[in-house]
Amino acid sequence: MAADGGSTRAVVTALAANLGIAVSKGVGALITGSSSMLAEAVHSLADTTNQALLLVGGRRARREADEKHPFGYARERYIYAFIVSIVLFTLGGLFALYEGYEKIRHPHELTSPLVAVVILVVAIGLEGYALYTAAKSANAIRGTKTWWQFIRHAKAPELPTILLEDAGAVTGLVVALLGVGLSVLTGDPVFDGIGTFVIGALLVAIAVILAMETKSLLVGESASKAHIAKIREALLAEPRFDRVIHLRTMHLGPDELLVAVKVAVAPGEVAEDISVATNNAEARIRAQLPIATLIFVEPDIYQPQPAAPSGAS
């Protein structure tokens, strides 16, 4: 998050909101005996833990490269984001599913339901503000992408994680409010258990989405098509490079891109001229794409691959 103050503000805002909400929900659950309130308290506790993990990951990722890790520590942000998905799945989702299942099997009446309603309404307002902050930060960088495209293709994990968590939190609070409200109106506490179960299913779904997207970043995603086009343009602007033979990119972190390329040069080129051309191309790439922190350019003689024989399988 070093390069993105908006992400840091969104994480800190969400952490502060969830810490206060977790305490109020926990007190409300003790007073009312509402399982959906208890599930939401654990959910907020999980979210608070997750936001702390994102801050830790951002801090650790800023460490300088060393002999043991010559490419640096930028991927720590992806590792901690993946841990977040696990925490959300286990501490949030599975607990709520279990609690909902138990309360559906063994429902009991709520006490002081008005307390639960007040706490849930206030929590919706606080979580809504946290979601607004995250959305505002994301709008500054998502461009023309839809929200789903932004979550799917963002290289920085913090904002997509916060957006999904906060959206899930607001939705879960509304579900909890419905569960408590229906239990009071109908006199049947089973609705509270159903609400808890729905909250658990929602959290598990969000955790799975986060895990899948973060796993892709951990494995190593390439640069975007727009960034690859900029790299190719910068390379082909060098007169001594005839063509790009191979171009490979990989995000070491959200703001650190590894570029490995093989370019074609004419036979008989002088080594000193090729060296100058390579340095010029690297400088051009960095000027167009500052996140290209590691660039490896290999000059070669282009040899077209022979066409496959007719009828070959």
Side-chain angles (χ1 to χ4, degrees):
M1 284 175 285
D4 190 356
S7 293
T8 305
R9 283 193 297 273
V11 174
V12 171
T13 299
L15 189 152
N18 278 303
L19 183 58
I21 292 170
V23 174
S24 62
K25 287 177 182 174
V27 172
L30 289 174
I31 294 173
T32 63
S34 167
S35 63
S36 57
M37 280 287 289
L38 179 60
E40 276 298 314
V42 175
H43 175 195
S44 293
L45 179 61
D47 282 353
T48 304
T49 303
N50 290 341
Q51 281 119 34
L53 287 170
L54 290 176
L55 290 173
V56 171
R59 180 177 293 275
R60 291 181 62 84
R62 292 196 288 268
R63 290 179 295 168
E64 296 293 331
D66 51 38
E67 185 177 353
K68 189 174 182 180
H69 297 90
F71 291 111
Y73 292 86
R75 303 189 88 159
E76 291 249 22
R77 288 170 71 175
Y78 299 153
I79 293 170
Y80 277 83
F82 188 76
I83 295 172
V84 162
S85 68
I86 296 173
V87 172
L88 189 62
F89 182 84
T90 53
L91 186 58
L94 293 186
F95 174 83
L97 286 174
Y98 171 78
E99 187 69 14
Y101 173 73
E102 284 296 313
K103 288 302 166 67
I104 291 172
R105 288 185 60 199
H106 310 291
H108 58 80
E109 291 187 8
L110 304 181
T111 57
S112 304
L114 182 60
V115 173
V117 171
V118 171
I119 291 174
L120 289 171
V121 170
V122 172
I124 288 173
L126 292 173
E127 288 285 10
Y129 177 73
L131 178 60
Y132 167 78
T133 302
K136 185 177 179 181
S137 298
N139 272 329
I141 59 175
R142 75 182 177 101
T144 59
K145 295 186 182 74
T146 65
W147 287 110
W148 180 243
Q149 288 171 336
F150 174 74
I151 290 169
R152 287 293 313 275
H153 302 297
K155 305 303 180 183
E158 292 84 12
L159 276 177
T161 299
I162 295 300
L163 282 168
L164 283 173
E165 281 190 349
D166 288 347
V170 172
T171 305
L173 286 166
V174 172
V175 171
L177 190 59
L178 286 172
V180 172
L182 288 173
S183 294
V184 173
L185 291 174
T186 64
D188 188 352
V190 75
F191 286 105
D192 185 45
I194 293 173
T196 309
F197 197 87
V198 171
I199 291 169
L202 174 67
L203 295 181
V204 166
I206 291 174
V208 169
I209 292 172
L210 285 176
M212 290 175 62
E213 294 305 316
T214 311
K215 178 183 74 69
S216 180
L217 292 168
L218 274 171
V219 171
E221 287 190 358
S222 68
S224 67
K225 291 181 179 179
H227 286 173
I228 291 175
K230 286 185 177 182
I231 296 169
R232 190 177 293 274
E233 179 185 350
L235 289 165
L236 294 178
E238 175 52 49
R240 284 189 166 81
F241 293 166
D242 294 335
R243 67 170 63 210
V244 175
I245 301 174
H246 297 301
L247 174 58
R248 301 288 184 270
T249 61
M250 184 174 70
H251 271 274
L252 301 174
D255 307 312
E256 296 185 28
L257 185 66
L258 169 67
V259 179
V261 60
K262 179 181 284 191
V263 293
V265 297
E269 284 279 8
V270 178
E272 184 177 351
D273 292 338
I274 294 176
S275 176
V276 171
T278 299
N279 291 335
N280 289 340
E282 289 182 3
R284 208 175 282 115
I285 291 171
R286 288 193 173 95
Q288 291 202 35
L289 199 63
I291 66 171
T293 53
L294 290 171
I295 304 174
F296 301 96
V297 180
E298 178 187 354
D300 200 355
I301 306 299
Y302 178 66
Q303 297 178 338
Q305 294 295 321
S310 177
S313 58

